[in-house]
Amino acid sequence: MVVEIISVGTEILLGNIVNTNAAYLAEKCAGLGLSCYYQDVVGDNEERLISVINTALSRADILLLSGGLGPTQDDLTKETAAKALGKNLYLHEPSKEAITAFFKNRGLEITENNWKQAMVPEDSIVVDNPNGTAPGIIMKENGKHVILMPGPPNEMIPMFDNSIMPYLSELEPGIIYSQTVKICGVGESKAESMVEDLINEQSNPTIATYAKTGEVHLRVTARSEDEKEAKKMVKPIVKELKGRFGNHIYTTQEDVTLEKAVVDLLVANHLTITTVESCTGGMLAARLINVPGVSEIFKTGYITYSNKSKRRVLGIKKPLLEKHGAVSSEVAKDMAKRSALFAKADVSVGITGIAGPDGGSEEKPVGLVYIACNVCGRIDVKECHFSGNRMKIRESSVSAALSMLRESILAYYSEVTFGEKK
């Protein structure tokens, strides 16, 4: 079945808010095996909204609309969708009672326009919204399914997960099962070339590639009559991917991030870590600290942005900075070496670079970053060249540091295994 995602709100068109709802719904629909060919964004205008709805009805089986279900006059989604399907609205008493309870529990006064949210299209399924006052709506007409959800993500996401997704699952016969293979240390184009033959030959299961900052995710999806059979179909494909990408695969679990995989690796090997950052300004430490349980292994994080702080905090010698410059492999290596010593940590990561937009030169352009990983005295240094704006360069640097840190730990223990380290 084909689904079309329609995001309603003038504030999205103006760029006042980022349309995260569409990304969330698209990913969930892909997991359900639904094909999404179009996404639309339309402002709070009845004429344009009804045009978008009618166009979507002509080419999709399912319409997912979010936004425009509020109590104000410019919230037109429900009324316009009902008009497009030729349905009248009526007062839905359970929704009115839910709205009354919502305000009463919070000690708030109900204004007259809130009852607008209790008006629902005839012959529709009303979906409870325990996180807000606007109920969801499911309308069916001529084999089409038009689903309305509130715009705020803290209302839309739980409503979709708990009510809408089970409804959609019933529309498509069989079971959809997906497993994601997450890869670091391999670029998007190379990763795609490594599985090009599998993609060209695919039917069921299918493989889809998704590029993330510093990562590539491969989603393997199978459709079958039951989940057991679908998992059985996915298993040999995942095994084949593991054979091709080896240690570049850091997880096959959906909820495991790269930073969690790194923290898990540190914990499993009883290694403590410290970070020392210049151009990334603490972003690496922040990603590591996002992982629950990291306090078991994280010692401290240094931000040595200026040359003076590199000398004062870490004790890096002035002649080294003058000879090679702060952005150099030599300084990155010294940062990793000294921070591990001062923090008494087993592992340390040093990052120094030019994030821009100023400060670059022909010899050292904007985007030049050096990353050093120190694992029990074994230090690797990598020169990186990133593109994009200041934030993109910093984010790319952090992702590269996490990937390199993981590789350095694995390399260290590989050497230990083969007797090169004591």
Side-chain angles (χ1 to χ4, degrees):
M1 299 183 78
V2 177
V3 63
E4 188 152 339
I5 298 168
I6 303 174
S7 304
V8 184
T10 302
E11 66 275 16
I12 303 175
L13 289 174
L14 295 176
N16 298 138
I17 63 172
V18 178
N19 187 10
T20 58
N21 284 355
Y24 184 85
L25 293 172
E27 186 172 8
K28 289 293 185 178
C29 287
L32 289 169
L34 300 170
S35 300
C36 182
Y37 301 137
Y38 298 94
Q39 292 184 16
D40 312 289
V41 178
V42 60
D44 301 300
N45 177 279
E46 181 181 346
E47 182 180 351
R48 290 190 284 273
L49 178 54
I50 202 166
S51 174
V52 168
I53 291 173
N54 285 333
T55 300
L57 285 170
S58 70
R59 61 193 182 192
D61 306 297
I62 303 165
L63 276 59
L64 293 179
L65 292 90
S66 64
L69 299 184
T72 60
Q73 291 185 2
D74 64 344
D75 291 308
L76 304 167
T77 301
K78 179 174 52 185
E79 293 79 3
T80 306
K83 182 178 180 180
L85 296 179
K87 295 181 179 292
N88 296 316
L89 300 178
Y90 73 97
L91 182 64
H92 186 248
E93 288 296 336
S95 292
K96 183 178 180 181
E97 293 172 6
I99 292 170
T100 301
F102 184 91
F103 278 87
K104 183 178 180 181
N105 292 338
R106 289 161 178 77
L108 302 173
E109 180 183 352
I110 302 176
T111 57
E112 191 63 30
N113 59 357
N114 283 111
W115 303 130
K116 174 178 180 289
Q117 295 180 296
M119 300 295 292
V120 304
E122 59 188 358
D123 301 322
S124 64
I125 300 172
V126 181
V127 182
D128 291 337
N129 179 10
N131 300 294
T133 54
I137 303 293
I138 300 175
M139 293 182 282
K140 295 182 287 185
E141 190 72 21
N142 298 324
K144 306 286 186 176
H145 305 262
V146 179
I147 301 173
L148 315 181
M149 295 171 287
N154 66 323
E155 298 180 36
M156 189 281 292
I157 290 175
M159 179 182 290
F160 184 85
D161 289 349
N162 297 328
S163 301
I164 305 304
M165 192 155 63
Y167 175 83
L168 295 176
S169 298
E170 294 295 324
L171 299 180
E172 196 73 272
I175 291 292
I176 299 293
Y177 174 76
S178 294
Q179 187 169 2
T180 301
V181 177
K182 298 184 180 181
I183 300 165
C184 62
V186 177
E188 179 188 7
S189 57
K190 183 177 180 181
E192 187 175 46
S193 68
M194 290 174 67
V195 296
E196 187 175 7
D197 60 318
L198 297 177
I199 293 175
N200 291 337
E201 297 169 5
Q202 68 184 5
S203 56
N204 185 25
T206 60
I207 302 174
T209 60
Y210 301 90
K212 309 288 183 179
T213 301
E215 302 178 41
V216 178
H217 294 183
L218 302 176
R219 184 185 293 276
V220 184
T221 303
R223 179 188 297 278
S224 185
E225 293 182 0
D226 58 68
E227 186 173 344
K228 183 178 180 180
E229 178 62 26
K231 287 183 177 180
K232 186 177 178 181
M233 294 166 67
V234 165
K235 189 174 181 179
I237 303 298
V238 172
K239 183 179 180 180
E240 176 66 22
L241 294 176
K242 287 180 177 179
R244 297 189 183 196
F245 290 97
N247 282 337
H248 290 295
I249 296 175
Y250 69 85
T251 189
T252 57
Q253 298 178 45
E254 189 67 40
D255 60 345
V256 174
T257 61
L258 179 54
E259 53 265 36
K260 177 171 171 51
V262 169
V263 169
D264 289 347
L265 189 60
L266 290 164
V267 171
N269 289 286
H270 308 289
L271 297 172
T272 56
I273 185 172
T274 188
T275 58
V276 54
E277 305 175 61
S278 182
C279 63
T280 49
M283 291 173 65
L284 174 60
R287 278 188 65 172
L288 290 170
I289 291 170
N290 276 338
V291 180
V294 73
S295 58
E296 185 179 338
I297 50 91
F298 190 84
K299 285 273 193 173
T300 189
Y302 302 100
I303 300 175
T304 56
Y305 198 72
S306 66
N307 283 2
K308 184 177 180 179
S309 66
K310 289 179 178 67
R311 297 196 307 269
R312 179 172 54 84
V313 176
L314 298 176
I316 294 178
K317 301 302 181 183
K318 189 175 181 178
L320 183 69
L321 288 164
E322 291 177 343
K323 181 179 181 180
H324 300 286
V327 180
S328 62
S329 61
E330 291 82 3
V331 170
K333 183 177 181 179
D334 210 34
M335 289 168 67
K337 180 180 179 180
R338 290 177 179 273
S339 59
L341 180 65
F342 293 160
K344 294 182 173 59
D346 303 307
V347 177
S348 63
V349 183
I351 305 175
T352 180
I354 306 170
D358 303 316
S361 66
E362 186 174 344
E363 182 183 356
K364 294 184 178 182
V366 170
L368 173 64
V369 178
Y370 289 95
I371 304 169
C373 291
N374 179 358
V375 181
C376 301
R378 178 190 186 276
I379 302 180
D380 297 314
V381 184
K382 184 176 183 180
E383 179 181 312
C384 304
H385 293 267
F386 301 115
S387 59
N389 60 23
R390 182 178 178 85
M391 181 56 72
K392 181 64 183 299
I393 290 170
R394 296 172 72 213
E395 289 174 345
S396 297
S397 300
V398 172
S399 294
L402 287 167
S403 177
M404 183 179 173
L405 173 57
R406 179 178 173 274
E407 291 175 8
S408 294
I409 295 171
L410 293 175
Y412 173 81
Y413 282 102
S414 175
E415 292 180 0
V416 169
T417 301
F418 288 101
E420 296 181 25
K421 292 284 182 181
K422 293 184 180 180

